[in-house]
Amino acid sequence: MPICRWFIWMIAAAVLASGGAAEAKSYPPLFGTKEIGSANWNFKKGVVPEWRGMLGRWKSGAPCESKICTSKNWAALVSQVKGAGDPMAQIKAANALMNKNPYIEDQNNWGKTEFWATSYEYLKKSGDCEDYSIAKYMLLKEAGIPIENMRIFSVRVRSLGGIGHAILVVYQGNKAWVLDNRTPSVMDASLIKLEFQPVMSLNENQWWYHLPGK
């Protein structure tokens, strides 16, 4: 399964430009890191404006039908996830449904090195790692999973030489679960903590910068 290449230096630049910290949700930091949280969204480059730009185009799920987006099958996907059963079953269903789409690099899809697609843009044109993660996040949000229980993580994959990647992490049942486009399984984060080196994570409430732990 292909893995996308994130511009990690853009994340670092955003963090250096940030001001003020916000208290993170009381979950233990993942993958052995320390977290610095912030609700300062005033950045012009990097991950934060990509995320905010995507949310602006998403318009809280307002219908979309054009050459680059479609909301045609979204309600059916939400219904499938809601009908899967308990929250853990819903998480597994969202991961499986979104992972069916083909992996396409942003350059090939959008003519630029980095583009964060809305779920409707993803349904129309598919996408790369952060696009899978966004679609799963929005699908689970629609199914009733609280946004404070979810984060999209920018990580380096240690087993692949530190290449940049994106995953969705969902907190459920006192555990953190990793949803990755490279695998059909939903994984217990504590069992793969050496695989990922987090750089930054975010949801609609705030973002977190991750520092190496002890």
Side-chain angles (χ1 to χ4, degrees):
M1 181 72 69
I3 184 169
C4 70
R5 292 161 173 80
W6 270 32
F7 292 90
I8 301 296
W9 65 269
M10 294 170 65
I11 300 171
V15 172
L16 291 173
S18 68
E23 185 178 353
K25 181 129 177 101
S26 57
Y27 290 113
L30 289 182
F31 310 115
T33 63
K34 297 178 181 178
E35 297 179 348
I36 300 174
S38 177
N40 177 11
W41 301 105
N42 297 319
F43 304 115
K44 294 183 179 179
K45 294 182 179 180
V47 168
V48 168
E50 288 286 350
W51 170 249
R52 300 292 281 181
M54 180 279 299
L55 290 175
R57 296 193 310 279
W58 175 239
K59 298 177 181 178
S60 299
C64 175
E65 195 62 49
S66 71
K67 292 181 179 179
I68 64 169
C69 67
T70 181
S71 54
K72 189 180 299 182
N73 297 321
W74 185 249
L77 290 168
V78 172
S79 180
Q80 276 187 264
V81 173
K82 283 184 175 180
D86 62 25
M88 198 65 224
Q90 293 176 348
I91 291 166
K92 292 177 179 179
N95 190 59
L97 286 169
M98 295 299 96
N99 278 1
K100 290 180 179 179
N101 289 345
Y103 180 97
I104 304 176
E105 294 278 2
D106 287 335
Q107 189 65 52
N108 295 333
N109 222 359
W110 301 100
K112 53 179 70 177
T113 54
E114 194 69 13
F115 183 85
W116 287 39
T118 70
S119 298
Y120 295 162
E121 290 165 342
Y122 172 77
L123 289 184
K124 188 73 173 185
K125 293 170 65 71
S126 199
D128 63 4
C129 57
E130 76 274 3
D131 305 321
Y132 286 93
S133 298
I134 291 167
K136 294 170 189 178
Y137 173 104
M138 292 300 181
L139 190 55
L140 288 168
K141 177 185 173 182
E142 292 273 347
I145 301 295
I147 61 174
E148 60 265 26
N149 288 5
M150 298 187 287
R151 295 193 207 173
I152 294 172
F153 270 73
S154 165
V155 299
R156 294 183 184 275
V157 183
R158 291 190 172 100
S159 64
L160 295 176
I163 194 170
H165 188 45
I167 56 175
L168 177 65
V169 171
V170 183
Y171 298 93
Q172 176 62 37
N174 297 318
K175 289 186 178 181
W177 300 94
V178 172
L179 286 67
D180 190 338
N181 66 285
R182 299 178 301 153
T183 175
S185 301
V186 173
M187 299 171 287
D188 182 342
S190 66
L191 301 180
I192 54 171
K193 62 183 180 180
L194 299 181
E195 172 71 351
F196 299 117
Q197 177 187 344
V199 179
M200 188 175 184
S201 60
L202 48 73
N203 58 27
E204 290 167 84
N205 292 334
Q206 68 177 88
W207 56 265
W208 294 262
Y209 184 59
H210 294 260
L211 299 170
K214 293 182 180 180

